[in-house]
Amino acid sequence: APAPVASAPAAAKVMVVGTDAAYAPFESQNEKGEIVGFDIDVAKAVAAKAGIEVKFVNTPWEGIFNALGQGDRDMIASAVTITEERKQSMDFSDPYFDAQQLIAVKEGSKVAKFADLKKLKVGVQTGTTGDEAVTKLLGKTSTNIKRFESTPLALKELESGGVDAVVADNGVVIHHVANNPGSKFKTVSDKEFAPEQYGFAFKKGNVELQSKVNKALAEIKADGTYDKIYAQYFG
Ligand code: ARG
């Protein structure tokens, strides 16, 4: 048997990752309550490469960046779009996923492009890039914008007829439509929506973790790990 060590090694520092786990296929909770998804697998692969232990904590979107700023989370992995505005208050990893807004409507809807939503009731998740796009189109004071704390809640409202459309990230809308044929939704795309990229977010100035993650991200992109995870979720 190995001789007992004189002093216990310093506790390994665990990277606490915040995620709003109501955003399949990027992050969601399975039947066991475990947090799973594309972002989770990428973040796990990155952490493994960097030799960092990682723990995921379900964190409501509305408080997610505050939790990061206060140091309650070390990193956010939550399909976060890298935007100039957010860069003022947080730092991002290199991009790891391309996205764009996509419209969900009922199958019979006449909506054919984003501008068609101008006079309609539109559901969004509060504080997302979808919210931003719709706010720009309908106007800051529009009472036709219905804001929800999660994207699934906005989609539920579309199903019950409380809103005429939902604008959210394409990956999530496509996943929902494909997995809920009973909802009878269809998607409407529009090139007017700006291209978006997801990044992992860090507290502003946490260059140490940011560079570790960037290095590991480049490594999993180079060695095929990223492609394998991508194929698992997006074929
Ligand atoms: N990509 C969009 C944004 O950054 C929506 C992300 C929402 N993520 C989530 N897990 N609910 O604004």
Side-chain angles (χ1 to χ4, degrees):
V5 286
S7 62
K13 205 187 165 289
V14 177
M15 169 167 73
V16 180
V17 176
T19 186
D20 172 25
Y23 215 63
F26 298 98
E27 43 267 343
S28 60
Q29 280 185 287
N30 66 16
E31 319 76 51
K32 290 184 211 151
E34 298 158 341
I35 299 175
V36 297
F38 175 78
D39 288 348
I40 308 309
D41 287 354
V42 173
K44 276 183 181 166
V46 160
K49 265 292 182 231
I52 309 171
E53 213 184 306
V54 65
K55 180 183 151 193
F56 295 90
V57 180
N58 198 2
T59 308
W61 179 255
E62 290 198 54
I64 211 164
F65 298 128
N66 264 337
L68 183 67
Q70 285 167 5
D72 295 335
R73 307 286 182 272
D74 300 308
M75 185 173 99
I76 303 302
S78 200
V80 180
T81 300
I82 302 168
T83 69
E84 285 309 314
E85 198 192 337
R86 286 175 182 160
K87 276 190 197 166
Q88 309 295 309
S89 55
M90 65 194 83
D91 290 333
F92 284 98
S93 71
D94 294 328
Y96 68 86
F97 192 82
D98 293 331
Q100 191 165 39
Q101 295 305 301
L102 185 63
I103 303 163
V105 289
K106 287 276 185 70
E107 270 174 10
S109 169
K110 290 195 181 73
V111 168
K113 56 184 189 302
F114 185 41
D116 293 343
L117 302 186
K118 199 141 192 178
K119 295 265 140 39
L120 300 179
K121 284 195 183 118
V122 187
V124 295
Q125 182 176 12
T126 310
T128 57
T129 45
D131 184 356
E132 244 171 71
V134 170
T135 300
K136 221 168 148 190
L137 180 73
L138 273 68
K140 261 198 174 115
T141 56
S142 171
T143 52
N144 273 339
I145 307 171
K146 307 291 174 200
R147 295 188 173 88
F148 297 87
E149 65 186 50
S150 77
T151 295
L153 281 176
L155 290 161
K156 216 171 177 185
E157 192 72 4
L158 177 61
E159 175 146 22
S160 64
V163 294
D164 306 301
V166 166
V167 176
D169 292 6
N170 52 348
V172 170
V173 172
I174 289 167
H175 180 90
H176 184 92
V177 171
N179 289 283
N180 298 275
S183 303
K184 300 203 182 308
F185 291 165
K186 66 175 181 182
T187 63
V188 178
S189 60
D190 192 322
K191 289 189 199 76
E192 287 292 303
F193 291 121
E196 301 183 25
Q197 290 186 306
Y198 295 166
F200 299 121
F202 308 97
K203 182 175 181 160
K204 200 150 190 56
N206 191 356
V207 181
E208 192 190 333
L209 186 57
Q210 180 194 34
S211 41
K212 271 189 200 167
V213 166
N214 276 341
K215 183 168 173 278
L217 189 57
E219 284 168 11
I220 67 159
K221 281 180 181 170
D223 75 3
T225 306
Y226 176 91
D227 289 343
K228 228 167 128 182
I229 298 170
Y230 187 97
Q232 247 175 21
Y233 287 89
F234 306 107

